Amino acid sequence: MENGAVYGPTTEEDLGPGRGARRGLASCFSLGRLQLRRLVLKVLQLLLSLLAFVCEEVVSQCTLCGGLYFFEFVSCSAFLLSLLILIVYCTPVYEQVDSTKVKQSDFYITMGTGCVFLLASIIFVSTHDRTKAEMAATVFGFLASIMFLSDVVIMFSERRQESQMRKPEATRRAGALTEPLNA
């Protein structure tokens, strides 16, 4: 016991910083919960809404500022909401919450954000002073709203496919309940 023989077989060799299990913050992130196309859409939503917000912030003066202020609010909110959803999908928080509730929240948040972002972009296009920063902001706003709405279409089609997969099982059960017992 004094020579360490008891502890020898159970200890593992230190593989160094570059090898072995993931360490630090990398061990908290998982990109495998989303399909690649959905992950790309989520990252594009995040980046395009951030770019729209930054371009809008560069605008130094405006004639009709209502559209600018609405676009500012929506683009910032879209960035923060898309960041929140991406964090939920990529961290252990996803395992703490029911996955169907996360997917349902993602669907409604993404749909609402896409529709309001599209509306804000249309309003901003109709009220801006045609400076380069404003035009860039509206382009990024329209692109971001397209990414949000295309993500909604993908989520809707996935939900529909899942319900179609479950439908034959439900009809079998319903058929068994309507058949007479003595048949």
Side-chain angles (χ1 to χ4, degrees):
M1 291 234 190
E2 292 177 22
N3 64 4
V6 173
Y7 299 108
T10 60
T11 57
E12 294 182 14
E13 177 182 336
D14 184 19
L15 298 175
R19 296 178 270 162
R22 296 188 313 172
R23 297 171 192 237
L25 288 177
S27 66
C28 294
F29 291 100
S30 171
L31 300 177
R33 291 188 188 101
L34 286 171
Q35 295 175 352
L36 182 62
R37 66 181 176 177
R38 295 260 342 270
L39 181 64
V40 168
L41 279 174
K42 293 289 181 197
V43 170
L44 284 173
Q45 292 166 11
L46 185 72
L47 292 176
L48 289 171
S49 58
L50 176 65
L51 286 171
F53 178 70
V54 168
C55 288
E56 171 275 325
E57 284 296 318
V58 172
V59 175
S60 59
Q61 59 184 346
C62 59
T63 307
L64 298 170
C65 298
L68 176 73
Y69 296 149
F70 183 54
F71 186 82
E72 175 182 15
F73 171 74
V74 171
S75 60
C76 182
S77 298
F79 169 71
L80 294 174
L81 286 170
S82 59
L83 179 64
L84 175 68
I85 292 292
L86 198 58
I87 286 172
V88 168
Y89 273 117
C90 295
T91 60
V93 172
Y94 184 83
E95 296 158 1
Q96 303 296 323
V97 183
D98 184 24
S99 65
T100 56
K101 289 184 180 183
V102 171
K103 290 177 184 178
Q104 188 176 22
S105 297
D106 182 19
F107 178 77
Y108 289 116
I109 288 171
T110 304
M111 183 173 59
T113 303
C115 292
V116 173
F117 212 153
L118 182 62
L119 177 66
S121 298
I122 291 169
I123 291 171
F124 188 43
V125 159
S126 63
T127 60
H128 72 65
D129 295 332
R130 302 196 185 339
T131 65
K132 290 185 182 197
E134 290 172 324
M135 286 192 274
T138 56
V139 167
F140 289 131
F142 279 117
L143 288 174
S145 61
I146 289 169
M147 293 302 130
F148 279 102
L149 294 174
S150 61
D151 195 14
V152 168
V153 169
I154 290 172
M155 284 189 278
F156 182 75
S157 66
E158 288 174 356
R159 286 171 109 189
R160 189 172 174 140
Q161 286 176 352
E162 288 175 7
S163 69
Q164 292 294 329
M165 295 275 239
R166 286 185 291 217
K167 190 178 259 186
E169 179 183 314
T171 56
R172 268 188 262 129
R173 270 194 242 140
L177 292 175
T178 57
E179 294 176 7
L181 294 175
N182 58 0

